[in-house]
Amino acid sequence: MAGTEERETAIVHTYPLCKHTDMQEDLKQEAMEVTVTAVEKYADNYEFAARMIKENLDKKFGAPFNVVIGESMSFEITYQKNSMLLMYTNGNVVALIWRTVASFA
């Protein structure tokens, strides 16, 4: 038939989606809540959102946390066991949170 078009539809999540984590439940919930709040507050500036998340997690759970926020990214990291979270929020915004080793003994 003439005029038949196939459309590609993008999946947009309207809720926070945890893609992968090995965090304990209390840390995971806090990190997800802070991330959603920060991304909504600083929707136009991911640097400020990442800084807000890092400061909140460092204050509550101890340093050093690392946070990367962006769209369409891939990664390879080394992280402290039981401290990594990869989640989607606010559509297609990706948040990667992990803790590094504070000191080498």
Side-chain angles (χ1 to χ4, degrees):
M1 283 169 74
T4 303
E5 296 180 20
E6 288 187 31
R7 290 190 220 170
E8 289 186 28
T9 56
I11 298 173
V12 177
H13 300 285
T14 57
Y15 54 90
L17 175 66
C18 176
K19 189 71 174 172
H20 175 77
T21 188
D22 64 354
M23 289 181 172
Q24 295 177 358
E25 192 62 30
D26 60 335
L27 177 56
K28 173 188 163 192
Q29 291 302 320
E30 181 69 23
M32 289 182 72
E33 289 173 12
V34 170
T35 301
V36 169
T37 302
V39 170
E40 287 175 354
K41 184 174 181 179
Y42 299 110
D44 57 339
N45 193 332
Y46 295 149
E47 181 181 352
F48 289 160
R51 185 172 293 139
M52 178 182 166
I53 296 164
K54 178 186 174 24
E55 289 172 356
N56 281 319
L57 293 177
D58 283 351
K59 188 184 304 180
K60 188 162 186 177
F61 297 101
F65 278 92
N66 297 288
V67 180
V68 176
I69 298 176
E71 299 174 16
S72 301
M73 65 179 192
S74 66
F75 65 94
E76 185 172 330
I77 60 171
T78 301
Y79 64 95
Q80 184 176 336
K81 198 172 191 178
N82 299 327
S83 70
M84 199 272 284
L85 171 71
L86 174 66
M87 67 176 284
Y88 290 90
T89 185
N90 207 21
N92 61 346
V93 177
V94 180
L96 175 63
I97 302 168
W98 76 98
R99 177 184 265 165
T100 56
V101 178
S103 64
F104 294 101

